[in-house]
Amino acid sequence: MNHVKPYSLFTEFDIYLFKSGKHFRLYEKFGAHPVTIDGVNGMYFSVWAPTANRVSVIGDFNYWNENEHALNVRWDSSGIWEGFIPNVKIGEVYKYKIHSNNSGVVTEKCDPYGYHTEHPPKTASVTYDIEGYEWQDKDWMQYRQDKNGLDKPYAVYEIHFESWMKNVEENRPLSYWEAATKLVQYVKDMNFTHVEFMPIMEYPFDQSWGYQITGYFAPSCRFGHPKEFMNLIDEFHKNDIGVILDWVPSHFPSDAHGLGFFDGSHLYEHPDKKKGYHKDWKSLIFNYGRNEVRSFLISNACFWLDKYHIDGLRVDAVASMLYLDYSREDGEWEPNEFGGNENLDAISFLQDFNKEVYESFPGVQTIAEESTAFSGVTRSVEHGGLGFGMKWMMGWMHDTLSYFKKDPIYRKYHHNEITFSLAYAFTERYMLPLSHDEVVYGKKSIIGRMPGDKWQKLANLRLLFGNMYTHPGANLLFMGAEFGQENEWSYAKSLDWHLLNDPGHKSVQTFLKDLNQFLKDTPALYEKSFSREGYEWINYEDGERSILSYIRKGHDPINDLIIVCNNTPAVQENYLIGVHKEGSLKEIFNSDLKKYGGSGVKNTKSIKTSEKPWNWKDYSAEVTLPPLAIVVFKIN
């Protein structure tokens, strides 16, 4: 006997928007929602399965009997199955059992819009009411648009939640609830402006680091309940820290309970394997040309911004979406209608995504992990671009790490590696990433790449961070680098927090803490981060001594900075630099201070400029440069 009552949350306009790829709040309609009908509490279920001839809700509440609760198909050819099931409570485990018209295929699937899940390796969805959380971040949400602007400081701490820190007594990762104290306090103490979580959405396979998602609308239950994750975000906001999530619309796993072959057809994935299968990751690729799939994905992005108050989305693997021939040999891809290799459906999808985010969620930023020379990633959609707020600067990362791993004696032969990024630094709005990808698969940790003895390794690391933070763009640092984590990152193990018992590692942490605060206090480092007006070379040609000098500028010329990087262990005394205006140079930041583990070489007195022109500047000054160090001067 079927105990499903006819009921719907959909209007005809909802169906129209869904079919046309323009419904971006589908989480308010699809999935499992607690409702009361005629005084009876229960749950409304709805799921998209157009190839099905029968869809049932199965779970503990009906002993997994598919004959008890068969959903009703809508009359409008939308492919939506729905209905109200009385007396289903919050916390019930459930799946959809789908009988397909395609060769009698039968599938059992978790809810694509499910708010909560069972703990892996179990795979069912769990009914949950995400409404009713009392947010306490009103102040943050009101001034976020200013705080999160592109003319504000960005020092982003990238975190893999499962491995940041363990609860040692119970040998498990921290819970959302525990992190709301420990992680928030740490990020605040370190003066980071934002955190970025590697995918927190539910994933079945720990080794994927979260990048193969089955529960797009559910924060992983490994660490607690959805409202406990809301509380974590709330605590960050109350401490003036923005929260960015990694978002993965590029591919999804083929696990039997996931989105793949959902209703016995290629519903979410592209049916052509040349466009629908990623051979490197052995995963499926969304069909960006299918309107209902576009609605699903953009609704998912909006869900996190709306219901969880997320401040930014970093979109993973954008390059794999943009190109039909990405990681494919000849014969494994087909050109688009104009004969090119661009995926036109994916491009228009990303444009629609960015338009909706920026129109509906003021103050939110989107960030593209895009590793090619594709033009206009951060150009507005109105001007033909993809519309992202920022793009990862992969070229800077590769060149800079390549340069810093070289013994300083050889750096003069590779000077171009440390200067070349400025040739294209303003072609997009860039975020400089030292991310998780750079500390795995035999690449070594960041400090593990640095040459020399322990002292030189630590000095090089401080210099690298100083170079990064004074380069145009925003900044992102993966957890552990801030105190010189020596081992490569492992998803299964905690960071090596015991290293902070070593004075050298503790000093690096102190340096990074002060560098973050220096960034926040120094308008010249962020007000014009994405504009040529904010950067001016003094001398990029002193490769023989491996020294760089440049000016950073903000809105007010009184805040101009002169920055000099000495990339060798040789102290340089009376080093002559050009200065663009008359005055006195005062050292305001130095990575070689003794409290940072340095040698303590510094410019103790103000240095008056000379009228002697140098480096194509009207004035000049002689400064002292510490070994393997960055020095920042202000002109008074």
Side-chain angles (χ1 to χ4, degrees):
M1 181 178 177
N2 189 21
H3 300 291
V4 174
K5 308 289 186 184
Y7 184 76
S8 183
L9 292 178
F10 288 92
T11 66
E12 289 185 29
F13 189 54
D14 286 326
I15 300 301
Y16 167 77
L17 290 175
F18 176 52
K19 287 182 173 181
S20 54
K22 299 296 183 184
H23 200 313
F24 303 142
R25 301 294 184 276
L26 289 175
Y27 50 88
E28 298 175 349
K29 309 292 179 175
F30 277 115
H33 297 267
V35 294
T36 301
I37 298 176
D38 297 331
V40 178
N41 296 328
M43 201 70 58
Y44 164 77
F45 292 91
S46 60
V47 64
W48 180 49
T51 308
N53 60 43
R54 178 183 171 90
V55 177
S56 300
V57 182
I58 55 175
D60 287 343
F61 58 89
N62 62 14
Y63 304 99
W64 301 89
N65 181 354
E66 65 177 293
N67 296 316
E68 288 286 317
H69 297 108
L71 297 177
N72 306 307
V73 65
R74 287 183 63 90
W75 51 268
D76 51 18
S77 73
S78 61
I80 297 170
W81 298 73
E82 61 183 352
F84 170 72
I85 304 179
N87 302 315
V88 176
K89 299 177 174 62
I90 302 300
E92 294 282 5
V93 174
Y94 73 100
K95 281 186 176 181
Y96 295 114
K97 187 157 189 176
I98 303 170
H99 289 259
S100 176
N101 280 316
N102 182 10
S103 304
V105 171
V106 179
T107 62
E108 288 188 8
K109 298 290 186 178
C110 65
D111 192 338
Y113 293 84
Y115 294 145
H116 193 32
T117 67
E118 288 187 294
H119 195 297
K122 294 181 179 180
T123 58
S125 299
V126 178
T127 57
Y128 195 86
D129 185 3
I130 62 166
E131 303 300 333
Y133 178 80
E134 295 183 7
W135 287 92
Q136 300 174 41
D137 63 350
K138 182 180 178 182
D139 289 347
W140 168 270
M141 297 300 283
Q142 286 180 337
Y143 61 66
R144 175 176 72 178
Q145 191 163 2
D146 176 63
K147 182 89 172 178
N148 221 29
L150 292 172
D151 60 347
K152 294 298 187 289
Y154 272 79
V156 183
Y157 188 52
E158 187 191 24
I159 299 165
H160 178 257
F161 197 94
E162 193 167 358
S163 59
W164 181 71
M165 183 182 286
K166 300 286 187 181
N167 180 312
V168 179
E169 292 80 14
E170 300 178 28
N171 191 30
R172 59 166 175 77
L174 295 185
S175 67
Y176 295 134
W177 197 257
E178 292 166 331
T181 301
K182 290 187 177 181
L183 177 58
V184 172
Q185 190 61 53
Y186 181 79
V187 173
K188 183 181 182 181
D189 288 346
M190 288 300 296
N191 296 317
F192 285 102
T193 63
H194 296 73
V195 293
E196 178 181 316
F197 288 113
M198 292 166 64
I200 205 73
M201 302 82 176
E202 194 59 83
Y203 53 97
F205 190 48
D206 286 354
Q207 287 91 323
S208 76
W209 311 339
Y211 287 99
Q212 299 217 7
I213 295 170
T214 50
Y216 271 81
F217 290 81
S220 179
C221 70
R222 291 167 174 80
F223 320 115
H225 289 262
K227 286 179 182 173
E228 292 171 336
F229 185 55
M230 290 179 184
N231 175 68
L232 172 58
I233 296 160
D234 218 358
E235 288 300 317
F236 275 121
H237 287 171
K238 287 191 286 183
N239 286 279
D240 266 359
I241 298 163
V243 181
I244 301 167
L245 294 188
D246 276 12
W247 185 54
V248 191
S250 46
H251 67 120
F252 60 93
S254 58
D255 294 57
H257 66 286
L259 296 175
F261 212 56
F262 188 81
D263 62 349
S265 72
H266 298 291
L267 192 61
Y268 288 91
E269 69 271 26
H270 199 287
D272 182 350
K273 288 194 76 170
K274 293 180 178 179
K275 295 181 181 179
Y277 181 72
H278 199 298
K279 63 177 186 177
D280 291 354
W281 302 324
K282 295 181 173 50
S283 56
L284 304 173
I285 301 170
F286 286 103
N287 185 352
Y288 305 110
R290 189 163 192 168
N291 286 337
E292 296 90 344
V293 173
R294 293 165 77 104
S295 287
F296 167 81
L297 286 170
I298 298 177
S299 289
N300 181 242
C302 292
F303 170 78
W304 294 101
L305 305 177
D306 178 11
K307 298 299 184 181
Y308 285 85
H309 291 199
I310 296 301
D311 307 297
L313 295 171
R314 176 264 196 187
V315 183
D316 183 61
V318 171
S320 74
M321 300 169 66
L322 293 176
Y323 294 104
L324 295 167
D325 60 347
Y326 182 88
S327 196
R328 295 181 191 274
E329 306 294 332
D330 288 346
E332 294 179 344
W333 66 282
E334 292 177 359
N336 62 36
E337 59 192 274
F338 302 108
N341 66 342
E342 300 89 358
N343 187 329
L344 302 179
D345 289 333
I347 290 170
S348 68
F349 160 72
L350 289 169
Q351 290 174 325
D352 283 356
F353 152 72
N354 278 311
K355 280 169 60 179
E356 175 59 21
V357 167
Y358 280 101
E359 286 173 7
S360 295
F361 300 96
V364 165
Q365 298 292 346
T366 63
I367 305 155
E369 188 220 2
E370 204 287 310
S371 54
T372 74
F374 189 93
S375 178
V377 173
T378 58
R379 193 186 308 136
S380 69
V381 174
E382 291 72 21
H383 291 92
L386 295 181
F388 282 94
M390 288 175 268
K391 165 182 168 170
W392 276 18
M393 197 176 195
M394 310 298 276
W396 168 86
M397 178 270 297
H398 286 298
D399 289 348
T400 300
L401 289 178
S402 175
Y403 179 84
F404 269 92
K405 76 178 182 181
K406 293 178 173 66
D407 189 302
I409 199 170
Y410 299 117
R411 285 178 179 170
K412 63 183 179 181
Y413 304 114
H414 301 275
H415 198 62
N416 183 59
E417 285 186 335
I418 200 68
T419 62
F420 180 66
S421 60
L422 272 300
Y424 62 94
F426 305 107
T427 57
E428 301 274 7
R429 291 188 295 271
Y430 283 112
M431 176 175 278
L432 280 55
L434 291 176
S435 75
H436 64 275
D437 278 327
E438 307 319 311
V439 291
V440 289
Y441 299 144
K443 296 177 184 177
K444 299 183 179 179
S445 64
I446 300 297
I447 195 172
R449 287 173 161 84
M450 301 295 114
D453 59 21
K454 182 70 175 283
W455 188 93
Q456 290 194 355
K457 284 179 180 291
L458 292 166
N460 270 302
L461 188 64
R462 298 192 302 271
L463 176 57
L464 166 62
F465 293 156
N467 175 284
M468 173 184 184
Y469 274 57
T470 58
H471 187 288
N475 308 282
L476 176 137
L477 193 66
F478 183 58
M479 62 183 199
E482 77 275 13
F483 60 79
Q485 166 91 6
E486 292 180 344
N487 289 318
E488 282 194 355
W489 169 61
S490 167
Y491 72 90
K493 294 191 297 185
S494 168
L495 295 180
D496 293 333
W497 293 104
H498 65 273
L499 290 174
L500 289 172
N501 295 321
D502 179 291
H505 290 276
K506 184 66 177 176
S507 297
V508 167
Q509 186 191 46
T510 301
F511 170 75
L512 204 282
K513 174 181 179 177
D514 288 358
L515 182 61
N516 281 335
Q517 188 62 47
F518 182 65
L519 171 69
K520 293 198 284 187
D521 292 343
T522 310
L525 292 179
Y526 60 78
E527 287 181 340
K528 295 184 177 180
S529 250
F530 306 109
S531 166
R532 287 187 187 279
E533 298 174 357
Y535 188 94
E536 183 181 336
W537 278 115
I538 296 174
N539 186 1
Y540 59 85
E541 295 180 318
D542 195 0
E544 185 61 32
R545 286 181 286 188
S546 299
I547 294 172
L548 297 175
S549 51
Y550 45 94
I551 304 166
R552 288 298 306 272
K553 303 176 181 180
H555 297 315
D556 189 339
I558 199 172
N559 293 323
D560 288 0
L561 302 178
I562 288 180
I563 299 163
V564 191
C565 298
N566 179 13
N567 297 304
T568 75
V571 176
Q572 299 286 341
E573 296 183 348
N574 305 315
Y575 184 79
L576 191 62
I577 57 171
V579 182
H580 61 301
K581 59 185 179 182
E582 188 176 14
S584 295
L585 271 62
K586 180 183 179 183
E587 181 182 293
I588 60 171
F589 195 82
N590 182 338
S591 67
D592 190 52
L593 297 184
K594 287 190 175 180
K595 71 172 180 174
Y596 302 145
S599 60
V601 175
K602 55 187 176 182
N603 297 268
T604 54
K605 298 179 181 178
S606 293
I607 304 162
K608 191 166 178 55
T609 58
S610 161
E611 293 187 358
K612 174 184 178 181
W614 197 250
N615 300 138
W616 307 99
K617 303 288 185 285
D618 292 338
Y619 304 93
S620 59
E622 291 185 351
V623 299
T624 297
L625 303 181
L628 292 172
I630 181 170
V631 185
V632 182
F633 301 93
K634 194 167 184 178
I635 309 170
N636 298 318

